[in-house]
Amino acid sequence: SSSRDEALRDKRARILSRGLPKQKPIEGVKQVVVLASGKGGVGKSTTAVNIALALAANDSTKEVGLLDADIYGPSIPKMMNLRGNPELTPKNLMRPLKNYGIACMSMGFLVEETAPVVWRGLMVMSAVEKLLRQVDWGQLDYLVIDMPPGTGDVQLSVSQNIPIAGAVIISTPQDVALLDARKGAEMFRKVHVPVSLYIKNTTFTYVYLDIFDTGDIPLHVNIRETCDSGQPVVISQPQSDA
């Protein structure tokens, strides 16, 4: 019967949850949004930066932070035109660097720009834990997390250790990219993170946003160019169609 099936599902969920770490909110952060993709190079960091800036521009009373969780290939310092090392508070917490009103933290602030991060899994997980828990974010309404590509340890650790309001999946129309994007969405489903937005960057200069059947937004080359120059389009060309 349906009631027996539901009871079995509840029992299975309870058993599985025993092996998961207890989620603990990031101090001072109200809501977390993660940006993820199955593949690299699909515009995830560009989207993360502009979403963070758009959240702040949409309501000037909201405080927004941006966390670059891509340990091996951090992009946020360049896109947000930030460089330097974070200062430490008296409690030995790192103070985020700030530009355009957005508080930012990235591994790119902690290593030389041209230095490769040649770390094994445990060192990467330790770095992610520090970026999550040893940063003085102050009081944030939103923290946007730019995840590394794929569905590995970092994605699972972030998803299982902190409460997440929603995930945004970024892809391109290639079959392999869409396949990987579906894997990413399935991973979030398994750890009970709602996927609230799907963005497909197409080779025909359009972004298709499937937000409860909302329409299309044109993607121009200047979106990439402005991010590469450290002046994201949302802040540098706020009145443009893009």
Side-chain angles (χ1 to χ4, degrees), residues 5 62 76-77 105 141 177-178 182 186 192 220 236 241:
D5 291 342
K62 302 297 185 184
I76 299 307
M105 182 53 61
D141 294 283
L178 291 169
R182 292 189 190 100
E186 180 65 13
H192 310 295
H220 299 288
S236 62
D241 290 340

Side-chain angles (χ1 to χ4, degrees), residues 37-44 70 148-150 170 172 174 177 180:
S37 67
K39 285 176 62 63
V42 296
K44 174 176 52 60
D70 193 343
I170 315 295
T172 56
Q174 298 149 304
D180 288 342

Side-chain angles (χ1 to χ4, degrees), residues 29 52-53 56 62-68 76 80 82 94-106 109 135-140 142-145:
V29 177
L53 290 165
K62 302 297 185 184
E63 294 293 330
V64 181
L66 180 59
L67 172 59
D68 188 350
I76 299 307
M80 290 295 289
L82 287 167
M94 294 181 288
R95 284 198 177 100
L97 277 63
K98 202 164 187 177
N99 197 13
Y100 307 126
I102 307 295
C104 301
M105 182 53 61
S106 170
F109 301 146
V135 175
D136 181 8
W137 289 107
Q139 297 298 314
L140 293 182
Y142 304 105
L143 176 62
V144 177
I145 300 183

Side-chain angles (χ1 to χ4, degrees), residues 46-104:
T46 300
T47 307
V49 164
N50 281 294
I51 281 181
L53 290 165
L55 284 169
N58 189 55
D59 187 343
S60 60
T61 68
K62 302 297 185 184
E63 294 293 330
V64 181
L66 180 59
L67 172 59
D68 188 350
D70 193 343
I71 303 300
Y72 294 114
S75 303
I76 299 307
K78 180 176 179 62
M79 292 184 175
M80 290 295 289
N81 195 25
L82 287 167
R83 58 183 55 84
N85 302 118
E87 297 178 353
L88 294 178
T89 70
K91 294 183 178 180
N92 211 34
L93 298 176
M94 294 181 288
R95 284 198 177 100
L97 277 63
K98 202 164 187 177
N99 197 13
Y100 307 126
I102 307 295
C104 301

